[in-house]
Amino acid sequence: MAEVKQKALSPPSSPARVLVVDDDIRNLELLEAYLSMEGHEVILARSGEEALDLVQQSPPDLILLDIMMPGLDGFEVCSRLKSDPKTQFIPIIMVTALRGTRDRIRGLDVGADDFISKPFNGYELLARVRSLLRIKRLHDELERKNALLYNILNRYMAEDVTAQILSDPDRFLKLGGESRLVTVFFADIRGFTNYAETHKPQQVVETLNAIFSQLTQVIYRWKGTFDKYLGDAIMAFYGAPVSHDNDALRAIQTALEMQQTFEHMKANWPNEDLVELGLGIGVHSGEAIVGNIGSERVMDYTVIGDTVNVARRLQEEAARGQILISEATYQLVREHVLVKKMPPHVLRGRQEPIITYEVQGLIAPLTPNSSDQ
């Protein structure tokens, strides 16, 4: 084997944690010497079983893996690591005396990223290590950015909605819209204007944030898409970008749970400041345009159309603690919901009276993870 020179063989790369796996102590010492010259932290394993244990304890940045070992050979170790989502992106260089094409093909089939033959050249070894570490760092950086984007999107919508958007960003993250059957949801905090007039601005903001933090989680739990805050009101919709057969029912369950959550908050508030507050909620279903509205620089994933206007008007009509739904929504949930039919009423801005219903409960409770109905 090539002798280890006392000076670096090439410009050092950023230090990394490298696991070296070989049943021959001489090979371990030689590889450790080369890698240490570049500042890498080197972990040694003398068997496949030991290597797997070390990886589970603390995944390294790269693995140099011998093939011919007693017990678990390098092929099996590589296969297990590459089939595990937690370790599949750790680069693996197989360091082997095997030279046959069939062995290399087998190594590639189980996921090996590169090969180097024994006896190896120190320059080549470190060059291959540096190359794969660069790729690993680029992958890690991409994963960090994806995680950041995922976390940002999760501030606005449920996790499954975020996953849907990221699965096809060209479709969901571009300007434009499409016609969809949606259920639009508005909830307004009744009495909050008076509350704001009698409390300091900082306290008003803190109270509103505390309320919104609780109420918005209810929307996410029922797989709704949060749209926006409108002063002391919340807008959300169901049916886009991910649709379910029971979107309207999920919206109703959101309304009922949101009322319960708000009453619980009031009962447990440090003082009686919230006793005069309540939620008025309006829900309406129909065709609307859903998509990204705005400009390439600033866009808003939202829903527009008359369906939105009707839902908001219903919310404006709802009294404190009341949930009003339209005839269209009622027809979608009639087998599941207990309601009280309201007298025909002309909503503000409209000429014809519409039939509305006050939701009083569910015939059978729904769960957030219920299959579509």
Side-chain angles (χ1 to χ4, degrees), residues 85-256:
K86 297 179 181 178
T87 58
Q88 63 182 337
F89 292 111
I90 299 175
I92 296 178
I93 301 176
M94 287 190 160
V95 184
T96 177
L98 298 176
R99 297 177 179 274
T101 300
R102 180 176 299 178
D103 294 318
R104 288 180 175 263
I105 292 175
R106 183 182 176 190
L108 292 171
D109 284 341
V110 297
D113 298 279
D114 203 351
F115 290 86
I116 190 165
S117 299
K118 299 177 182 178
F120 53 81
N121 178 280
Y123 291 101
E124 181 184 5
L125 170 72
L126 295 180
R128 292 178 184 272
V129 167
R130 283 195 299 273
S131 176
L132 287 178
L133 285 176
R134 281 195 298 270
I135 295 173
K136 175 67 162 51
R137 291 186 181 105
L138 289 172
H139 172 267
D140 290 347
E141 180 64 21
L142 181 61
E143 287 293 296
R144 283 190 290 270
K145 291 180 177 179
N146 283 341
L148 176 60
L149 176 59
Y150 188 85
N151 290 334
I152 290 173
L153 288 174
N154 278 345
R155 292 172 180 255
Y156 299 91
M157 56 196 68
E159 290 187 11
D160 62 334
V161 177
T162 297
Q164 178 80 1
I165 289 174
L166 293 180
S167 70
D168 191 359
D170 288 339
R171 175 186 175 189
F172 292 114
L173 295 179
K174 68 178 182 179
L175 284 175
E178 58 181 342
S179 180
R180 297 282 289 268
L181 175 61
V182 295
T183 296
V184 182
F185 174 104
F186 280 91
D188 179 77
I189 306 174
R190 297 289 189 259
F192 198 80
T193 300
N194 291 335
Y195 176 90
E197 292 175 351
T198 56
H199 292 78
K200 294 181 179 180
Q202 183 63 34
Q203 187 176 357
V204 171
V205 171
E206 291 175 355
T207 300
L208 195 59
N209 286 342
I211 294 172
F212 280 162
S213 293
Q214 293 292 320
L215 301 188
T216 305
Q217 288 304 315
V218 180
I219 296 171
Y220 295 155
R221 187 155 49 247
W222 292 101
K223 303 184 185 301
T225 300
F226 169 80
D227 192 307
K228 61 176 69 70
Y229 297 117
L230 300 159
D232 54 11
I234 298 175
M235 175 184 172
F237 54 92
Y238 298 74
V242 179
S243 62
H244 303 84
D245 291 342
N246 57 359
D247 284 314
L249 188 56
R250 291 178 186 275
I252 300 301
Q253 182 66 78
T254 300
L256 289 166

Side-chain angles (χ1 to χ4, degrees), residues 173-341:
L173 295 179
K174 68 178 182 179
L175 284 175
E178 58 181 342
S179 180
R180 297 282 289 268
L181 175 61
V182 295
T183 296
V184 182
F185 174 104
F186 280 91
D188 179 77
I189 306 174
R190 297 289 189 259
F192 198 80
T193 300
N194 291 335
Y195 176 90
E197 292 175 351
T198 56
H199 292 78
K200 294 181 179 180
Q202 183 63 34
Q203 187 176 357
V204 171
V205 171
E206 291 175 355
T207 300
L208 195 59
N209 286 342
I211 294 172
F212 280 162
S213 293
Q214 293 292 320
L215 301 188
T216 305
Q217 288 304 315
V218 180
I219 296 171
Y220 295 155
R221 187 155 49 247
W222 292 101
K223 303 184 185 301
T225 300
F226 169 80
D227 192 307
K228 61 176 69 70
Y229 297 117
L230 300 159
D232 54 11
I234 298 175
M235 175 184 172
F237 54 92
Y238 298 74
V242 179
S243 62
H244 303 84
D245 291 342
N246 57 359
D247 284 314
L249 188 56
R250 291 178 186 275
I252 300 301
Q253 182 66 78
T254 300
L256 289 166
E257 185 174 322
M258 194 175 283
Q259 291 284 15
Q260 295 171 358
T261 299
F262 191 64
E263 291 303 312
H264 181 76
M265 286 189 68
K266 288 168 57 178
N268 291 275
W269 201 252
N271 51 52
E272 296 185 355
D273 279 0
L274 306 187
V275 68
E276 298 298 326
L277 303 183
L279 291 181
I281 298 176
V283 180
H284 176 52
S285 305
E287 291 287 332
I289 300 300
V290 181
N292 291 303
I293 309 300
S295 66
E296 290 292 346
R297 185 175 179 84
V298 180
M299 63 180 67
D300 181 23
Y301 188 77
T302 188
V303 55
I304 59 175
D306 189 59
T307 298
V308 180
N309 298 332
V310 172
R312 185 161 190 177
R313 295 293 181 259
L314 289 173
Q315 168 257 299
E316 292 171 351
E317 294 294 327
R320 191 171 308 180
Q322 192 175 40
I323 302 167
L324 291 183
I325 66 174
S326 65
E327 175 73 22
T329 299
Y330 174 66
Q331 292 302 324
L332 294 172
V333 300
R334 60 186 302 170
E335 296 179 0
H336 306 279
V337 179
L338 299 172
V339 299
K340 174 185 176 182
K341 188 174 182 179

Side-chain angles (χ1 to χ4, degrees), residues 45-63:
R46 297 194 64 178
S47 69
E49 292 84 354
E50 184 183 4
L52 292 176
D53 288 341
L54 289 171
V55 172
Q56 291 301 319
Q57 293 173 24
S58 181
D61 297 304
L62 182 141
I63 300 173

